[in-house]
Amino acid sequence: MNRQQAQDLIESILEIPREGELQVLLNGVHRLGTRFNDCAISQNVLRQQTTLTLSARLEQKKTSLSINTLDDQALIKRSIEQAFAFCRHMPDDEEVMPAPGEVLESHEYAYSTESEAIEIETVGAWAAEACRAGAAADIDLAGLLAHGKTFSAYGDSAGGFAYEGSHRSDYHVTATGNNGSGWAEHQGVTIGQDNVMTATRSAIEKCARAQHPEVFEPRPVTVILEPQAVGDLMAMAFWYGFDQRARDEGRSAFSDYDATLGHQSFYSDPADPVFPTVSFSSGGQALVRTVWLESGKLQQLLTSRYWASKNNLAVKPAPNNLVLTGDGTPLEELVRSTDDGILVTRFWYIRPTDARTLGFTGMTRDGTYRIENGEVTHPVVDMRWNESVLKVLDHVVASGKPVATGEFMAMAMPALKIEDFHFTSLSN
């Protein structure tokens, strides 16, 4: 659905008589996907769907419902009536805010003409080549290659409107041998055959190096986290810890912490060249470059419209991406400069342990290796860790170049070399 078609549909919905304020969100997806395991394609998916979400507000009451049938005006009218009927039964919520009512400029930072031309046959052919590479290496290869062509459109009865088209590619692959596994990915707004094969060869190589892991007695040690592991940790830290209301109410690690956290900057920017995104939120708010940490110093935190209004603060809506700066040191150099350490491909099952220290626990997975005297010497058995993100950021001594990562959220993250990272037990 192009901009004019989306605008015409939203305007026709907003013209339907109703009791109160109405917000309309359209999310359209044309998703191509090929899933494979044991070096053979197991599923091809072509999903094309547009979801219409209607949010009704009556004073301090609000409710939403979604449908995915758009060519039945009678159904849409009944859905609006039902949304307001539900709304009348909701309790008053002082945090309910009026619709923004803003007309936003369309940037389409995440739109790619190259990506628009990708078809399901192409995705399937790339996945098949990856499978052949796994079979040739006599390694079990499993993964997903998905490419989405999407649009988002927003309108409200206060006059607000926004529309953007975007693309999102996700390729992640696990190579499994008899005694160990390796993993790699390609994320971004576009993807090509070279990207697929580079990630595939990386997973196969990691798997070959991961066979017959040895026990490393868990202890605090220098660790090198590859970008996916950094993204896993920073995404959890952001959504659990970077909130202004939690800070003001004494529930956050930042409530009593004002020290500088290392030297890196942490920000969100829909125009980021590594991993751009849609430049407005599902609530019709414009998203712009927002710096959370500047050279390790806290600048601002997520601030809802309600909390900003109540406390006379600037609104800082939830972003669509996260970026951590790096100094560009190659991964090989990070390893060469490490006498005693652990190299981690990715994390698994990260869970929060302490909001006041931004503490988390998790496990390593799919490629964990021992570093001795500047060289990767052998794989090690996966381990559990417990660590504070405040301390992690403060103990970064070197970093790589940010690359696109994040299966569930767009991120640009560098590899990090961190001193005194706490491994606590074996995890298998």
Side-chain angles (χ1 to χ4, degrees):
M1 191 177 293
N2 62 33
R3 177 187 177 92
Q4 190 60 56
Q5 291 169 326
Q7 188 164 10
D8 289 345
L9 177 58
I10 288 175
E11 287 178 354
S12 70
I13 293 171
L14 292 173
E15 287 173 355
I16 296 173
R18 61 188 181 274
E19 300 176 55
E21 181 185 87
L22 184 65
Q23 292 175 275
V24 180
L25 180 66
L26 286 170
N27 280 316
V29 61
H30 181 89
R31 191 169 192 263
L32 326 169
T34 295
R35 190 179 297 278
F36 54 94
N37 57 64
D38 199 16
C39 295
I41 291 175
S42 56
Q43 185 182 41
N44 286 312
V45 176
L46 175 58
R47 176 171 171 253
Q48 190 164 4
Q49 178 176 294
T50 299
T51 302
L52 167 63
T53 300
L54 302 164
S55 297
R57 183 176 76 89
L58 292 170
E59 300 298 337
Q60 293 308 118
K61 304 175 187 292
K62 188 173 184 178
T63 191
S64 299
L65 63 78
S66 297
I67 60 174
N68 55 18
T69 299
L70 306 181
D71 56 357
D72 185 342
Q73 276 293 104
L75 174 63
I76 294 175
K77 182 174 182 297
R78 288 200 303 275
S79 299
I80 293 173
E81 292 170 349
Q82 194 166 35
F84 279 100
F86 290 154
C87 194
R88 285 194 295 274
H89 295 286
M90 295 295 290
D92 283 347
D93 182 351
E94 65 170 331
E95 298 186 25
V96 168
M97 299 294 291
E102 299 178 38
V103 177
L104 304 179
E105 182 180 354
S106 180
H107 297 287
E108 301 206 321
Y109 299 122
Y111 184 88
S112 163
T113 304
E114 178 186 356
S115 291
E116 187 67 18
I118 296 174
E119 298 296 344
I120 186 67
E121 293 82 2
T122 307
V123 170
W126 292 344
E129 185 177 355
C131 289
R132 285 192 288 273
D138 195 23
I139 282 176
D140 180 6
L141 210 64
L144 172 68
L145 200 172
H147 180 68
K149 309 172 184 182
T150 64
F151 78 89
S152 298
Y154 169 88
D156 62 48
S157 53
F161 180 76
Y163 174 94
E164 282 189 19
S166 62
H167 296 95
R168 177 75 154 85
S169 299
D170 168 23
Y171 177 57
H172 53 270
V173 55
T174 303
T176 305
N178 292 328
N179 294 287
S181 59
W183 182 92
E185 66 170 350
H186 172 83
Q187 303 288 338
V189 299
T190 190
I191 190 169
Q193 187 174 21
D194 289 349
N195 304 128
V196 173
M197 293 312 299
T198 297
T200 301
R201 285 190 288 269
S202 176
I204 292 173
E205 179 188 353
K206 281 178 174 289
C207 177
R209 294 165 56 195
Q211 300 305 300
H212 307 292
E214 300 175 15
V215 170
F216 172 81
E217 196 60 37
R219 60 177 168 83
V221 68
T222 297
V223 69
I224 296 174
L225 304 182
E226 294 194 9
Q228 170 66 27
V230 176
D232 289 343
L233 188 57
M234 291 306 297
M236 291 287 285
F238 182 78
W239 294 115
Y240 275 91
F242 284 66
D243 182 77
Q244 184 66 46
R245 181 172 183 174
R247 182 193 194 191
D248 295 343
E249 293 179 343
R251 298 180 283 111
S252 163
F254 296 109
S255 297
D256 304 314
Y257 194 96
D258 196 34
T260 299
L261 298 170
H263 61 277
Q264 292 178 279
S265 295
F266 186 42
Y267 61 93
S268 299
D269 185 358
D272 180 71
V274 176
F275 211 156
T277 61
V278 172
S279 66
F280 63 89
S281 72
S282 59
Q285 295 173 271
L287 300 178
V288 298
R289 179 184 170 89
T290 305
V291 179
W292 312 108
L293 298 173
E294 178 73 49
S295 299
K297 188 69 176 176
L298 184 66
Q299 302 296 302
Q300 52 208 338
L301 296 165
L302 287 173
T303 309
S304 68
R305 294 175 64 212
Y306 163 73
W307 198 249
S309 174
K310 184 175 182 178
N311 296 282
N312 195 27
L313 300 170
V315 176
K316 299 297 175 186
N320 285 336
N321 67 356
L322 295 171
V323 181
L324 185 68
T325 59
D327 58 29
T329 304
L331 182 64
E332 295 77 9
E333 181 55 35
L334 295 178
V335 172
R336 271 196 296 271
S337 63
T338 304
D339 291 331
D340 175 24
I342 297 292
L343 173 62
V344 174
T345 296
R346 63 187 297 216
F347 286 146
W348 195 248
Y349 281 116
I350 300 176
R351 295 291 183 269
T353 57
D354 183 2
R356 294 302 303 272
T357 63
L358 212 48
F360 294 89
T361 186
M363 293 174 281
T364 63
R365 179 165 171 152
D366 295 330
T368 307
Y369 309 94
R370 182 79 168 102
I371 303 172
E372 295 172 296
N373 301 316
E375 293 184 358
V376 174
T377 55
H378 58 268
V380 297
V381 173
D382 284 314
M383 292 178 283
R384 175 168 289 282
W385 50 269
N386 288 289
E387 197 51 277
S388 156
V389 170
L390 303 182
K391 206 193 84 180
V392 165
L393 291 172
D394 200 39
H395 285 197
V396 173
V397 293
S399 55
K401 177 182 177 181
V403 300
T405 186
E407 183 179 350
F408 303 107
M409 181 183 188
M411 292 183 283
M413 296 284 151
L416 297 180
K417 179 178 175 179
I418 303 159
E419 291 184 336
D420 195 32
F421 189 88
H422 280 226
F423 290 106
T424 55
S425 63
L426 301 178
S427 73
N428 69 337

